[in-house]
Amino acid sequence: MKAIIFNGSLERRAESTSGLISNYLSERLKESGIQTDIFTLADSGIPLFDVTLTKTPLAVERMTQMFQNADVHFWLAPLYHGSIPGVMKNCLDWLEVTANSYEPYLTDKTVGLVCWADGLQAMQGINAMDDIAKSLRAWTLPFSVPILRSSLFHIDDSKQISEFYSGKLDKLVNIATTKKIEKTTINQS
């Protein structure tokens, strides 16, 4: 199994929110023996989507190949003004160059969704990514991780994901890689 983590933020720093989440997911996937790539949008060189070009840009060819070769995707995005960053949507729009392929777009790929916001609206980003993934013929997981950014990290360590969110991210990875949703038991003492 091959996984790709699509970091849809323009943050380049490894210690940024998107960098820390990307690295956390990557470590968990690799621990499970899954080959993992991180596609960082900020470093990708993806140009503005332009259907009038006669030749597909090299950065787009690389991106589409990475996206189509992965069995499972994890899309990460901050919430900006009620949705995902426009550059993330622009990148996904480039999958249009695969329209005439045998399996176009992201046909039958599995996609796990993660979005963070400073307020409680991160689900808006999840919904936007869900719509896009389904339009690209992918299957989104029935579990996603909307994050309240102020609760993402441990109080004592701003670079360590809190126990609450590490549990949710671990569950997302487990569902994506096993296709099973395990029932959580509640200890009733």
Side-chain angles (χ1 to χ4, degrees), residues 93-112:
D93 286 342
W94 273 107
L95 287 166
E96 187 62 30
V97 301
T98 68
N100 294 323
S101 301
Y102 175 70
E103 289 188 331
Y105 313 111
L106 298 177
T107 300
D108 292 332
K109 303 298 179 185
T110 300
V111 182

Side-chain angles (χ1 to χ4, degrees), residues 6-10 39 41 46-50 63 67 75-78 80 83-96 125 127-133 135-136:
F6 177 25
N7 177 350
S9 171
L10 285 180
F39 182 84
L41 186 55
I46 300 293
L48 289 175
F49 182 57
D50 184 353
M63 180 272 298
F67 278 46
W75 293 1
L76 318 176
Y80 291 156
S83 192
I84 62 172
V87 293
M88 183 178 187
K89 174 68 167 65
N90 175 74
C91 181
L92 292 165
D93 286 342
W94 273 107
L95 287 166
E96 187 62 30
N127 290 336
M129 290 187 286
D130 183 71
D131 288 344
I132 295 165
S135 294
L136 293 169

Side-chain angles (χ1 to χ4, degrees), residues 146-178:
I147 296 171
L148 175 61
R149 194 176 177 292
S150 63
S151 300
L152 177 59
F153 300 105
H154 278 281
I155 294 171
D156 299 331
D157 186 352
S158 63
K159 294 181 182 167
Q160 185 177 353
I161 294 177
S162 70
E163 190 174 316
F164 178 74
Y165 282 114
S166 62
K168 288 185 175 292
L169 293 170
D170 290 348
K171 186 172 187 172
L172 184 71
V173 167
N174 184 55
I175 293 168
T177 57
T178 65

Side-chain angles (χ1 to χ4, degrees), residues 71-83:
D71 302 298
V72 63
H73 290 225
F74 294 90
W75 293 1
L76 318 176
L79 186 75
Y80 291 156
H81 309 288
S83 192

Side-chain angles (χ1 to χ4, degrees), residues 20-32 34 74 76 112-114 141 143-145 147 152 154 160-182 184:
L20 292 169
I21 296 171
S22 294
N23 291 334
Y24 182 88
L25 290 172
S26 178
E27 288 173 19
R28 293 302 172 270
L29 288 161
K30 288 177 183 176
E31 286 171 3
S32 298
I34 296 167
F74 294 90
L76 318 176
L113 306 172
V114 178
L141 295 175
F143 180 82
S144 58
V145 185
I147 296 171
L152 177 59
H154 278 281
Q160 185 177 353
I161 294 177
S162 70
E163 190 174 316
F164 178 74
Y165 282 114
S166 62
K168 288 185 175 292
L169 293 170
D170 290 348
K171 186 172 187 172
L172 184 71
V173 167
N174 184 55
I175 293 168
T177 57
T178 65
K179 308 289 193 269
K180 294 179 184 174
I181 300 174
E182 309 234 348
T184 306

